[in-house]
Amino acid sequence: MSDTANRPTRTAAIERKTNETNIKLAFNVDGTGISEIQSDVHFMNHMLDLFTKHGLFDLRMEADGDIEIDDHHTTEDMGICLGQAFREALGDKRGIKRYANVFVPMDEALAQVAVDISNRPHLEYRAEFPSAQVGSFTTELVHEFLWKFALEARITLHVIVHYGSNTHHMVEAIFKALGRALDEATTIDPRVQGVPSTKGVL
């Protein structure tokens, strides 16, 4: 039986309840792209569905929040919970590729996401959108989500939108690229012995 067959399932479940939000989340790194996402921040539901599909993860999330104020707290806490689940599901990170760099076009837009599953949280974010809103969603919350995700997942995350003229397309390209990059970086490489770091730990 192969080492891969003997590996524990890379899954995690997170619950977070505050005075602002109530979130329940289940995440599977080695999924098939199945998403069941329910929140009142409908644009984020769509983006996380794309992230899950293109990353070949499985994600179930129920998120209730104080959207009568705005979408900020719910979007932020979605990032926190997904980051925590991602980190927990990866476990000791033995055998992973660790790095990935992915470009995704979406019609006229081109996004690039580079990741290092490093245990050093950092977000480098280079994106300027033509519009401050997509429907009722404020585009500055894309940065908020990504920063909180990177912080809690403890990954180095570089996001660059090289160009684009349609804000929806530009954000969509980011989330598709994020899914594909994390899928590649978490893939088990049978050539990797232990953890892919000269430190011996990630």
Side-chain angles (χ1 to χ4, degrees), residues 5-200:
N6 287 324
R7 286 185 178 277
T9 304
R10 297 192 295 176
T11 61
I14 298 291
E15 293 190 21
R16 175 182 172 86
K17 187 171 184 179
T18 72
N19 291 334
E20 298 167 343
T21 64
N22 184 7
I23 296 177
K24 296 180 181 179
L25 183 154
F27 182 72
N28 181 2
V29 174
D30 304 304
T32 58
I34 297 172
S35 64
E36 299 175 14
I37 302 164
Q38 298 179 13
S39 84
D40 291 325
V41 186
H42 300 295
F43 185 74
M44 281 303 302
N45 295 351
H46 178 40
M47 292 302 107
L48 289 173
D49 185 51
L50 295 169
F51 163 82
T52 304
K53 182 71 173 180
H54 291 275
L56 291 173
F57 307 123
D58 290 339
L59 174 62
R60 295 197 315 274
M61 180 189 293
E62 297 178 10
D64 295 315
D66 54 1
I67 62 161
E68 68 278 4
I69 297 173
D70 67 10
D71 294 341
H72 183 105
H73 295 142
T74 305
T75 302
E76 177 182 32
D77 284 10
M78 283 177 166
I80 289 171
C81 290
L82 184 58
Q84 290 174 346
F86 181 84
R87 183 184 181 196
E88 181 179 324
L90 278 187
D92 63 11
K93 307 179 185 69
R94 293 175 63 85
I96 64 169
K97 289 186 175 181
R98 177 176 167 178
Y99 296 98
N101 180 30
V102 171
F103 289 83
V104 166
M106 175 64 193
D107 295 352
E108 87 300 339
L110 181 67
Q112 177 185 7
V113 172
V115 298
D116 175 10
I117 301 176
S118 60
N119 202 33
R120 296 190 304 274
H122 181 81
L123 172 65
E124 199 66 33
Y125 184 75
R126 309 289 174 85
E128 295 183 8
F129 301 114
S131 174
Q133 299 281 136
V134 179
S136 62
F137 184 82
T138 304
T139 54
E140 68 178 16
L141 294 179
V142 176
H143 177 278
E144 191 67 29
F145 175 88
L146 292 171
W147 165 230
K148 294 305 166 55
F149 173 77
L151 182 65
E152 296 295 336
R154 297 194 63 82
I155 65 171
T156 297
L157 174 61
H158 288 241
V159 175
I160 306 167
V161 179
H162 290 281
Y163 45 78
S165 57
N166 181 292
T167 300
H168 188 127
H169 292 169
M170 295 163 78
V171 179
E172 184 166 325
I174 290 172
F175 278 86
K176 287 178 177 177
L178 178 65
R180 293 183 69 88
L182 290 175
D183 176 47
E184 182 177 335
T186 58
T187 297
I188 301 298
D189 186 337
R191 298 171 299 171
V192 176
Q193 300 298 310
V195 173
S197 171
T198 54
K199 297 182 180 72

